[in-house]
Amino acid sequence: MILVIGGGPAGMMAAAKASKTAEVTLIEKKEKLGKKLFITGKGRCNLCNDCDDPFFFECLNRNASFMYSSYYSFTAAMLKDFFESRGTPLKVERGDRVFPKSDKSADIIKTLEKELRKNKVDIRLNTAVKAIRPADGGYDLVTDKGTIHGDKVIVATGGMTYRLTGSTGDGYKWAEALGMGVVKPVAGLVGLRLKGNYLEALSGLSLKNVELTAKTEAGTFTNFGEMLFTHFGISGPIVLSLSSKINRSKDVDLFLDLKPALDDKVLDKRLLREINENPNRAIHTMMKQLLPKSLIEPVLDEAQVPKDLPGHQLTVEMRQDLIRALKKFPLHYVGLFNENTGIITTGGVDVKDVDPSTMESRKAKGIYFCGEVLDVDGPTGGFNLQIAFSTGHLAGMCAGEEEANEDYSH
């Protein structure tokens, strides 16, 4: 018997794969499977990324090389085929993001549940595991509904963000109890808190085609695309992806390039052209050609250019200051949004203590770890679900084969 703890994408895939060769019980503390999967991609479920295989590894933030065996045993192409061959058509959108054609995450969950039922997996909902204890050549899971014995255990308990979905960090304490290392879990793909007088005025402003740069002790990171100002700071795709790279840094200098397509010289020519066309027009009026209305005052304040100054009075030095404010507008970083709002957890079970070719713990034979509980993560765009499905698939395959071999030898 193989016991799988956690009914998210990694746990469901592990149970589905293991049940091809072994008896499997899937234990989920919530009232239904796939609660976090249901809300991913704004309820549309960005299943994976249709990029070239080598690019998948380039995109990962932490421990990409750990993923080689699991990814190549269940690539994005194989994952797509898994769902499409079971009657769930998919589509590819901008950024190679893969979604169900229906735009409903529920269809992905239904396909997985159908596979589990077909393979006769014993699903136990509303059952919380309290401890894992070695017993009789296998393990006892102590739950709030009694003790369940199994030969092997697959831990797919997720991270510690979005706790209402059941991700409460249980897998970390069990890993530590087994003598495994745990890299401090920190929220990833999360908004960034800022301070500044302009935040309220900018709240709700969405920007496209801008470049956000973070300078930290670990290096400089830049993302291009869309972002959003909120009451507390900034969010949106480029912010979320950047957050996973800077979430362990104490000192972060953040800058926003509002005109990444224009270099300083081109921008200067543009300003001069605006001035020459109407030299008496006030600077704040002229800036409407370059910026959204709510950004004009913060940018002029940063450049220390009076907003009512007529264009013809703008000196060379003032123009340079204005260009600097447009190309390197400072955002005063305070920290991350509430950790529970992070889409994923970065950190987790130290991959040095997990065999990458099987997902089995190096410290406890017969216990496997997969999914977000591991210290592996990627940006938005389907990479994190791919990690969950690939590691779950490999853990299920190896635990199932091992179980079948042991039964055969007995």
Side-chain angles (χ1 to χ4, degrees), residues 97-382:
R97 293 164 190 243
V98 178
F99 293 90
K101 263 192 185 160
S102 64
D103 283 329
K104 289 178 181 165
S105 54
D107 289 350
I108 297 298
I109 296 166
K110 277 180 202 156
T111 303
L112 289 163
E113 286 178 327
K114 202 168 158 187
E115 187 74 5
L116 296 172
R117 283 197 302 274
K118 186 180 91 178
N119 295 355
K120 299 184 171 50
V121 173
D122 178 11
I123 300 169
R124 305 209 189 167
L125 302 172
N126 296 304
T127 305
V129 176
K130 302 297 184 188
I132 303 173
R133 293 187 182 145
D136 302 329
Y139 295 92
D140 280 346
L141 299 191
V142 182
T143 81
D144 56 356
K145 304 264 176 78
T147 299
I148 308 169
H149 181 76
D151 305 305
K152 293 180 171 35
V153 176
I154 298 175
V155 179
T157 47
M160 54 81 184
T161 61
Y162 275 90
R163 292 187 193 108
L164 281 174
T165 64
S167 301
T168 49
D170 301 333
Y172 308 138
K173 63 184 183 198
W174 300 334
E176 285 177 329
L178 295 168
M180 300 172 74
V182 173
V183 176
K184 186 190 174 189
V186 181
L189 301 183
V190 65
L192 303 179
R193 284 190 299 121
L194 307 177
K195 62 181 178 185
N197 304 327
Y198 53 81
L199 275 181
E200 203 165 316
L202 294 178
S203 179
L205 174 66
S206 180
L207 298 175
K208 288 184 177 182
N209 303 322
V210 292
E211 200 167 79
L212 183 64
T213 298
K215 286 188 176 176
T216 73
E217 69 277 9
T220 300
F221 308 99
T222 301
N223 273 2
F224 172 84
E226 296 177 33
M227 61 168 274
L228 170 76
F229 280 94
T230 74
H231 280 295
F232 312 106
I234 49 175
S235 189
I238 61 172
V239 176
L240 298 181
S241 285
L242 195 74
S243 71
S244 294
K245 293 187 169 122
I246 66 170
N247 57 359
R248 292 167 193 276
S249 297
K250 294 280 181 282
D251 297 314
V252 179
D253 290 327
L254 270 184
F255 302 100
L256 188 56
D257 185 346
L258 294 157
K259 295 289 167 190
L262 308 176
D263 64 20
D264 290 13
K265 278 186 183 174
V266 173
L267 210 43
D268 194 35
K269 278 182 188 167
R270 176 95 183 262
L271 288 171
L272 283 169
R273 190 173 75 233
E274 295 286 345
I275 292 165
N276 291 335
E277 282 174 7
N278 200 334
N280 294 317
R281 189 167 47 180
I283 288 296
H284 73 87
T285 306
M286 186 183 84
M287 293 299 285
K288 285 177 185 172
Q289 307 299 319
L290 282 168
L291 291 173
K293 190 180 173 187
S294 55
L295 255 177
I296 293 171
E297 205 163 314
V299 167
L300 290 175
D301 284 351
E302 176 59 30
Q304 296 187 322
V305 173
K307 65 178 184 177
D308 295 320
L309 186 79
H312 69 88
Q313 289 185 24
L314 196 69
T315 65
V316 174
E317 288 78 13
M318 283 175 171
R319 279 207 321 273
Q320 285 172 347
D321 289 341
L322 192 48
I323 289 164
R324 198 173 298 116
L326 286 165
K327 297 289 289 175
K328 206 175 179 182
F329 185 73
L331 301 170
H332 302 291
Y333 175 77
V334 176
L336 306 173
F337 278 15
N338 179 304
E339 68 174 20
N340 195 35
T341 65
I343 294 173
I344 57 154
T345 305
T346 73
V349 174
D350 194 332
V351 297
K352 290 201 289 289
D353 291 334
V354 178
D355 183 339
S357 64
T358 60
M359 296 291 130
E360 189 174 20
S361 166
R362 295 188 192 275
K363 305 283 184 176
K365 187 161 174 50
I367 297 193
Y368 300 74
F369 287 82
C370 59
E372 199 181 336
V373 73
L374 295 164
D375 180 23
V376 190
D377 69 272
T380 57

